[in-house]
Amino acid sequence: KATDVPHITANQSASLDDFMEMVSMLVTKTMKKMRVEFSPDEGSRPTVDIAKRIEHPYIFYELITREPKGERKPRVRENVTELAHDEKSQRDGRIWGQKFKCIVQFNILACDYKTANKVMNDFESLIFNYTAYFKKNGVAEILFERHFTDKNLDIFRQSLSVRSMQYYVEVEKLFVEFVSAIRDITSGNRQI
């Protein structure tokens, strides 16, 4: 049927940092006409001189919450065996994973309300249009939560137009544990 949507399977897992790197790359590539600058540094604020007009729009983000989703601690996802370069020796290990549900806030600063609205609408479209890309690269879910006025950004409103949006993002953090490496460290043999 034409209405059937193919199931998307991830090629890898993605942490919140991985997601932000993807967003940064996409903003840089797709919003370059407007010279939108995305800051992947969580919680950073652009330094803006209130007396001067800014040259281009900014998007920065804040992590509101990151909580375990269902699993209070990492669980084994897969047992692995790694062969040495000479392929004569190997070491056994486990891949552990833990899913997290996150609320991420994206803030947009622009010189006027028309530009701020355009950047906000383009950013929403970007997230929607690239959802399959995010999922293919390990983001389990991304959903729009809300658009609102963040009073913590009122200092910027003295000379700029500000827009704030929050998204629900679900990611998984993976940890690799090689049993032989841990055994060597705890027994005093520091050969990793």
Side-chain angles (χ1 to χ4, degrees):
K1 284 192 219 176
T3 59
D4 287 344
V5 177
H7 180 71
I8 298 170
T9 304
N11 293 330
Q12 60 199 27
S13 72
S15 67
L16 190 59
D17 291 334
D18 296 331
F19 171 66
M20 286 307 154
E21 287 178 22
M22 287 183 259
V23 171
S24 180
M25 181 269 300
L26 289 170
V27 166
T28 300
K29 287 185 175 185
T30 65
M31 301 176 89
K32 62 183 165 188
K33 274 188 181 177
M34 294 182 71
R35 299 184 319 156
V36 176
E37 183 178 325
F38 180 83
S39 174
D41 186 11
E42 192 266 320
S44 72
R45 301 272 199 273
T47 304
V48 177
D49 183 348
I50 293 173
K52 292 182 182 176
R53 183 176 170 92
I54 63 172
E55 298 297 318
H56 55 80
Y58 293 91
I59 300 175
F60 56 98
Y61 86 97
E62 298 175 62
L63 176 62
I64 305 303
T65 59
R66 182 176 81 120
E67 303 174 279
K69 182 190 177 201
E71 342 179 86
R72 300 296 296 163
K73 61 183 182 178
R75 305 261 184 230
V76 174
R77 299 288 193 247
E78 184 179 351
N79 290 313
V80 294
T81 300
E82 180 181 76
L83 292 174
H85 294 294
D86 61 10
E87 296 188 18
K88 294 180 181 175
S89 61
Q90 67 183 34
R91 61 182 184 166
D92 295 325
R94 293 183 205 103
I95 297 175
W96 295 77
Q98 185 173 17
K99 290 187 178 182
F100 293 93
K101 53 186 183 177
C102 310
I103 300 295
V104 178
Q105 179 172 320
F106 295 97
N107 300 299
I108 297 164
L109 300 180
C111 59
D112 59 63
Y113 78 94
K114 285 184 178 180
T115 304
N117 286 341
K118 171 100 172 94
V119 172
M120 180 182 70
N121 290 326
D122 288 357
F123 185 77
E124 281 185 72
S125 294
L126 177 148
I127 296 295
F128 176 77
N129 290 330
Y130 286 91
T131 295
Y133 168 78
F134 293 127
K135 288 188 173 193
K136 195 77 169 165
N137 286 288
V139 176
E141 190 64 83
I142 179 166
L143 302 168
F144 180 85
E145 284 288 311
R146 67 185 186 136
H147 168 202
F148 70 107
T149 301
D150 186 340
K151 295 295 184 185
N152 293 320
L153 302 174
D154 280 351
I155 187 74
F156 292 108
R157 285 190 181 82
Q158 294 176 23
S159 62
L160 301 170
S161 193
V162 181
R163 301 292 180 273
S164 298
M165 300 178 295
Q166 290 182 352
Y167 280 83
Y168 170 84
V169 180
E170 195 175 298
V171 293
E172 182 175 27
K173 185 164 186 163
L174 296 180
F175 308 89
V176 179
E177 166 200 40
F178 285 105
V179 179
S180 56
I182 292 172
R183 195 176 308 117
D184 289 345
I185 290 170
T186 58
S187 69
N189 300 332
R190 298 186 81 52
Q191 300 171 1
I192 298 178

